């Protein structure tokens, strides 16, 4: 206990010192939920709850959704003032709970959430997915173990996370597939940084600790915002839900549980949570950062604080038709919990090799996807690197893909990567055209239903040669067409857009 207190005091001292010296560019977000780890999915016409840390207790002036092509003012139904806990281990709280209503005519989009209060503006990027209606069946993508930035390319000041090279290309693939949401089962960042690595991603110089850049803030900024022209998580067109793994901290000891959770809360928001997609219930747990006494035992990790939180989620939301649990470690499973709640799917990471087995009495599918982009996997790349899975949920039934490789050659330089799913526009897709054509090539050995292609055209009325126009977002300058289309395995399709 004395060691834990010492590490926490040391980290707190240097964190405060860093703020005073201007070393930490990112402060805790005042919009705690929806935010990085746990965005919101909401139907147009429904209500949404926001946890907001109103530090100076000032009036809420406005709440806004900002999309790339539209802006929606949200009616504020109520602002509750009190103590609203979102992490029971540290008793992390906010003091405002804001309820807003999504107007029924809001276009389907992944929006930035903006709160204006007393002259200040606070933004939670890509955190609210508005739907016309929930889909049944619906789909999600499972990925894991991104490890941004385990390996750093370039100088400390002007470099970037090597992992972004593959992540950027995977984002292109995921956006064509158009899942309803994405789940990342831990190890988003890495607790050390490797400079000047060799061609296999090893050797070089390894640094860690609060005194070494990139700081945790910089790692998360690379992860979400990208760097050096590569996209990060904010490049996805689907909401991304994530949870901690054993590498998701930076600048403190592995046994500094309070410091690690405080860092996650400050830079990610919620650590343990549940959410719903129609009649599907999804819960995210933490089997590495938190309470070492009751939440991280080998046999019953749901017997402690987070188990009580997730139990309450099921009480409040109901058990729905199908239940998904996401955790990081594949071999630390609370079978009593999954049996009690009849968990249908258990998503894991930690071990980077794809695998499927069944556990418990439901039985529960326990599944790993492999890794999309972790550096240092070149030796084992054939069985581990570049993989993801797609799940399709239909009421209380589901099916899922084998591990899919998004490119043929994940160890090649970025400019030489050959994609297994690609989209190429014949003309610039920037609102300057009245005709355009897109070619989709699917080299995956799997049919892909309900892919989505977006055309940004000059304002007008249009028709398409293939697929279905799902919606049109009209602006003073543009007509933005979202086209849904099915693409068979090992097939290609051309979609032409022209004026009526």
């Amino acid at each position: 206990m004395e060691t834990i207190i010492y590490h926490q005091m040391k980290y707190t001292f240097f964190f405060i010192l860093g703020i005073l010296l201007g070393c930490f560019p990112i402060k805790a977000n005042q919009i705690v939920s929806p935010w990085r780890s746990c965005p919101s999915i909401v139907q147009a016409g429904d209500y949404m709850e926001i946890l907001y840390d109103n530090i100076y207790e000032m009036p809420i002036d406005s709440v806004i959704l900002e999309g790339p092509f539209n802006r929606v003012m949200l009616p504020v139904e109520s602002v509750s003032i009190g103590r609203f806990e979102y992490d029971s281990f540290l008793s992390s709280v906010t003091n405002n709970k804001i309820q807003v209503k999504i107007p029924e005519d809001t276009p389907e989009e992944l929006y930035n959430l903006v709160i204006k209060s007393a002259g200040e503006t606070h933004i939670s990027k890509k955190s609210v997915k508005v739907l016309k209606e929930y889909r049944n069946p619906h789909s999600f993508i499972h990925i894991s173990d991104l490890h941004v930035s385990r390996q750093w390319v370039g100088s400390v000041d002007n470099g970037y996370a090597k992992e972004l090279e593959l992540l950027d290309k995977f984002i292109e693939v995921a956006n064509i597939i158009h899942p309803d949401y994405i789940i990342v089962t831990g190890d988003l960042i890495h607790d050390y940084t490797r400079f000047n690595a060799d061609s296999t991603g090893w050797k070089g110089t390894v640094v860690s600790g609060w005194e070494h850049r990139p700081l945790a803030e910089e790692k998360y900024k690379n992860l979400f915002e990208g760097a050096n022209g590569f996209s990060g998580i904010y490049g996805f067109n689907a909401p991304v839900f994530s949870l901690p793994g054993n590498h998701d901290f930076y600048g403190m000891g592995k046994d500094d549980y309070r410091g690690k959770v405080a860092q996650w809360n400050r830079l990610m928001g919620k650590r343990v949570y549940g959410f719903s997609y129609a009649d599907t219930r999804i819960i995210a747990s933490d089997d590495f950062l938190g309470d070492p006494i009751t939440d991280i035992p080998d046999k019953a990790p749901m017997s402690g604080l987070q188990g009580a939180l997730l139990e309450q989620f099921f009480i409040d939301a109901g058990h729905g038709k199908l239940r998904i649990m996401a955790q990081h470690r594949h071999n630390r499973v609370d079978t009593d919990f999954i049996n009690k709640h009849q968990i249908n799917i258990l998503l894991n990471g930690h071990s980077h090799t794809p695998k499927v087995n069944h556990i418990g009495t439901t039985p529960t599918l326990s599944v790993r996807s492999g890794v999309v982009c972790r550096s240092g996997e070149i030796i084992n790349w054939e069985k581990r690197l570049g993989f993801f899975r797609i799940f399709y949920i239909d009421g209380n039934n589901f099916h899922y893909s084998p591990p899919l490789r998004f490119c043929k050659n994940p160890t090649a330089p970025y400019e030489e990567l050959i994609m297994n799913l690609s989209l190429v526009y014949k003309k610039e897709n920037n609102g300057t055209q009245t005709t355009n054509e897109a070619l989709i090539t699917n080299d995956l050995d799997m049919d892909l239903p309900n892919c989505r292609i977006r055309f940004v055209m000059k304002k007008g009325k249009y028709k398409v040669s293939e697929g279905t126009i799902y919606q049109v977002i009209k602006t003073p300058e543009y007509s933005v067409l979202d086209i849904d289309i099915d693409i068979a395995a090992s097939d290609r399709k051309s979609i032409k857009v022209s004026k009526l």
Side-chain angles (χ1 to χ4, degrees), residues 24-43:
F24 294 169
I26 301 176
K27 299 179 182 178
N29 209 46
Q30 286 186 230
I31 303 173
V32 173
S33 176
W35 192 32
R36 283 175 165 175
S37 64
C38 183
S40 288
I41 301 175
V42 58
Q43 284 189 133

Side-chain angles (χ1 to χ4, degrees), residues 101-120:
K101 185 173 184 179
I102 311 297
E104 292 187 1
D105 59 351
T106 302
E108 187 165 303
E109 188 69 272
L110 182 59
Y111 290 92
N112 297 338
L113 175 64
V114 181
I115 296 179
K116 294 182 180 291
S117 176
E120 292 191 356

